[in-house]
Amino acid sequence: MGKTLYEKVWEAHEVRKLRSGQSQLFIDLHLLHEVTSPQAFGMLKDLGLRVRYPHRTFATVDHIVPTHDRTEPFQDPLAQSMLEALRQNTREHGITFFDLGSGNQGIVHVIGPQLGLTQPGMTIACGDSHTSTHGAFGAVAFGIGTSQVRDVLATQTLAAQKLKVRRINIEGKLSPGVYAKDVILHIIRHLGVKGGLGYAYEYGGSAVEAMDMESRMTLCNMSIEGGARIGYVNPDETTFAYLEGRPYSPKGAEWEEAKRRWKSFASDPDATYHDVVTFRAEEIPPTVTWGINPGQAVPIDGRIPLLEELPPEERPVAEEALAYMGLKPGQPIKGVPIQVAFIGSCTNARLSDLREVARYLKGHQVKKGVRALVVPGSEWVAKKAEEEGIAEVFREAGFEWRNPGCSMCLAMNPDRLQGDELAASSSNRNYKGRMGSPKGRTVLMSPLMVAAAAVAGEIADAREVFGIGR
Amino acid sequence: MLEKFTTIRGRAVPLRGEDIDTDRIIPARFMKVLTFEGLGKYLFYDERFDEKGEPKPHPLNDPRYQGASILLVEAGFGSGSSREHAPQAIKRAGFRAIVGESFAEIFFGNATAIGLPCVTLAPEDLAVLFQAVEGNPDLEVEVDLVNKEVRFGGRTAPLFIPEEAREALVEGLWDPIGELLQAGELLDEFDRRLPYPRRSE
């Protein structure tokens, strides 16, 4: 009987069964950032414990970093104290820390893959829900809370409950102007924000196999928005090609051995799943949200649903969303004015995202009155984008080119919406108040769609704005 | 010794709304802290207070529900960010159990690991409980993890909670750190065997 990658990785990492019935799971790689770790180090200290395997732990700073002026001390003393705490904790425990200016600082889910820290068959944990991103490599990667960060620091293990596995096939070929971000918004729109509760999502099918690694990361990143704890793609030649030569990737003789091992983790052709769902790639349009959760989404040329079109249980949240967003049932989403355009976040701030946008943005101008920001995912991405002339394309178009960090996505730094501004955003959450203003509004979409909205000054179809394919 | 959760008794606050995310439970700007102490006062801050810090109508601001120790919620509670700050804020605001229709995975795990039981009721039972509490804020509600039922106003409704979590709470094993540490040298064997990222110079 065939097994899924999830089952194989689980079995290889199960230390023992716990009295509670949960499993004690060994964690190969632990990633830390400044927001969810200080309390964990505090608990460790209270218990008189040390970090058990510091060589398996890597840290960076991303959530609270100002993206405009990074001169220290930061203007926000609370942010500065969090950075200092992480510096102190990593120094004291011998943990590798990619500090500001190291060349490797960035959003934790951007630098893990970029450095080759993230590898197939691994278990990965991080005190951040978007750890699901690393599943793109065929790793089992989950977001954890701070008490669990403490557990991993002290024991390199977690108490965990095994999930069911849902296979999600995307078959066929994506249309021009349609990206992984549209695919995941489409999936969540159809399966719901609670659809993945109790499941790991395995993404496959010809459209996923054809995706590059950074697209797969976008797909896995938002598994959590679909209610799934983790998402993954089976490792293949695309995965290996991406990892080859990265700073922390195996080298020489170890490389061939690693590839053999990694391949062995891929789901068997006859693996059984608890559930299988299939979507046709050609039927996936550029998709944008209209509400206050990522499942409230429509095709760009669609209309906001009428309440009576929705299942009764979804109507109260829809009404709440319409009131908050200032939108009407039945209204086209295209043409809604925006005040802010944000390209960044762990979903979409990678080099390939910026390259793709720059390719079309060249020669266009951000509409007057729109505040447009592009925040690269890491210092490395920023440097490459400068070298390739991508940064200049953004600047010439009227975007502000910022330093790497989480920025507006959750607004724990100075980048935030004001009042009830509406942002076209490549981030992952359109929750009430998410972008830092209790009344601020977020419309999620692909980076290219954000650029189109910035140019048009309203929610727009990138295929029309940039003359793609139709 | 950890506290053993068998029956939690108290008044309840009805908090309506589906898919309430952890950003709403505790907005990100209140996470710029090095400890969890004091987070209770920021619970649902943007829903409870306007820009000037003046209270808005909200069940948690309603004097009739002051001192309640059970939080009633609907479906998909705690979705979104993995921030443990969310269950920590609920616990530090004085709540000892959450009763709802369904919970997001990470939130449920975080809450259980800090000794904050999250139990679910069938939708029809939950609806009755909401109405009962809204009709009578003084109603005493009992969450009985031993007999797996919620009792209120002469009624009894079966509660659901994954058996592992239930046992962990009832037996006082909800914080797994002690048991994880007991694996001792077994961990070294895993560390030796499983590859880890290495920068080869």
Side-chain angles (χ1 to χ4, degrees), chain A residues 12-16 18-21 24 26 28-29 35 38-39 43 49 52-53 55-56 58 64 76 78 82 85 104 117 122 127-129 143-148 150-151 154-155 157 159 161 163 193-194 197-198 224 227 229 247-248 251 261 292-293 313 317 320 410 412 429 431-432 434 438-439, chain B residues 17-19 21-24 28-36 46-47 51 75-77 79-85 88 102-106 109-110 113-114 163-165 167-168 171 173 175-200:
Chain A
H13 292 81
E14 188 173 37
V15 178
R16 54 191 193 132
L18 298 173
R19 284 196 300 264
S20 64
Q24 180 167 10
F26 195 84
D28 290 321
L29 172 67
V35 179
Q39 301 88 347
M43 296 182 215
L49 296 168
R52 181 128 185 169
Y53 306 117
H55 52 278
R56 292 185 176 275
F58 297 83
I64 54 92
D76 178 353
L78 293 172
M82 296 184 87
N104 287 323
L117 292 168
M122 276 186 168
D128 187 285
S129 61
I144 55 177
T146 295
S147 294
Q148 289 180 307
R150 172 207 61 186
D151 294 349
T155 68
T157 63
Q161 192 61 40
L163 300 163
V193 291
K194 295 187 280 284
L197 285 180
I224 193 78
R229 185 79 185 266
Y248 285 86
K251 309 243 171 12
R261 183 171 182 275
I292 55 172
N293 72 48
E313 67 273 15
V317 180
E320 185 183 355
L410 90 168
M412 283 192 77
R429 287 178 176 154
Y431 300 150
K432 285 174 159 185
R434 171 74 179 184
K439 290 179 178 167
Chain B
E18 300 229 334
D19 306 325
D21 55 76
T22 52
D23 274 81
R24 264 201 255 180
R29 63 185 187 280
F30 301 117
M31 288 163 57
K32 278 188 272 182
V33 288
L34 299 176
T35 77
F36 291 125
D46 289 338
E47 315 230 313
E51 281 127 288
F77 188 78
S79 59
S81 162
S82 62
R83 58 188 71 164
E84 187 174 306
H85 305 66
Q88 290 278 2
S102 62
F103 296 92
E105 216 90 47
I106 302 180
N110 286 343
I114 62 168
E163 194 50 27
E164 301 78 25
E167 283 176 18
E171 290 167 25
L173 301 169
D175 184 347
I177 185 77
E179 201 183 354
L180 294 178
L181 284 164
Q182 286 166 16
E185 285 172 16
L186 196 50
L187 300 176
D188 297 335
E189 186 201 313
F190 273 79
D191 179 51
R192 269 195 304 275
R193 190 157 47 81
L194 293 169
Y196 57 87
R198 244 175 297 194
R199 188 190 271 275
S200 51

Side-chain angles (χ1 to χ4, degrees), chain A residues 365-398:
Chain A
Q365 280 296 312
V366 170
K367 182 103 170 183
K368 199 163 177 286
V370 173
R371 182 158 58 110
L373 268 73
V374 54
V375 184
S378 69
E379 291 181 345
W380 183 86
V381 169
K383 180 167 168 277
K384 293 298 281 185
E386 290 281 2
E387 287 169 7
E388 293 183 16
I390 292 169
E392 199 47 37
V393 171
F394 278 106
R395 287 195 199 100
E396 279 176 6

Side-chain angles (χ1 to χ4, degrees), chain A residues 82-115:
Chain A
M82 296 184 87
L83 171 57
E84 297 295 350
L86 188 57
R87 279 182 182 145
Q88 167 68 25
N89 286 326
T90 49
R91 198 182 309 125
E92 193 179 314
H93 291 274
I95 293 167
T96 305
F97 177 43
F98 304 115
D99 202 347
L100 293 175
S102 65
N104 287 323
Q105 176 266 337
I107 305 177
V108 66
H109 311 308
V110 174
I111 67 161
Q114 171 191 304
L115 289 165

Side-chain angles (χ1 to χ4, degrees), chain A residues 124-257:
Chain A
I124 300 177
C126 173
D128 187 285
S129 61
H130 290 105
T131 308
S132 60
T133 311
H134 306 267
F137 290 79
V140 169
F142 27 50
I144 55 177
T146 295
S147 294
Q148 289 180 307
V149 171
R150 172 207 61 186
D151 294 349
V152 181
L153 289 173
T155 68
Q156 204 61 37
T157 63
L158 277 179
Q161 192 61 40
K162 206 168 176 184
L163 300 163
K164 294 179 284 186
V165 181
R166 172 177 291 149
R167 166 86 176 187
I168 300 180
N169 292 307
I170 315 293
E171 298 292 355
K173 199 166 178 292
L174 294 174
S175 310
V178 176
Y179 299 95
K181 184 62 160 287
D182 301 301
V183 176
I184 189 63
L185 286 171
H186 184 80
I187 291 171
I188 299 170
R189 176 181 169 222
H190 286 277
L191 299 182
V193 291
K194 295 187 280 284
L197 285 180
Y199 284 98
Y201 279 176
E202 176 179 305
Y203 302 101
S206 52
V208 174
E209 285 160 19
M211 281 183 188
D212 63 22
M213 286 313 294
E214 301 197 341
S215 298
R216 294 179 188 181
M217 287 183 232
T218 300
L219 191 62
C220 291
N221 174 276
M222 288 189 69
S223 303
I224 193 78
E225 273 73 34
R229 185 79 185 266
I230 70 163
Y232 68 87
V233 176
N234 284 306
D236 61 8
E237 293 302 325
T238 304
T239 321
F240 308 148
Y242 180 95
L243 283 170
E244 192 164 12
R246 304 251 163 203
Y248 285 86
S249 290
K251 309 243 171 12
E254 284 182 12
W255 171 251
E256 291 303 323
E257 173 51 33

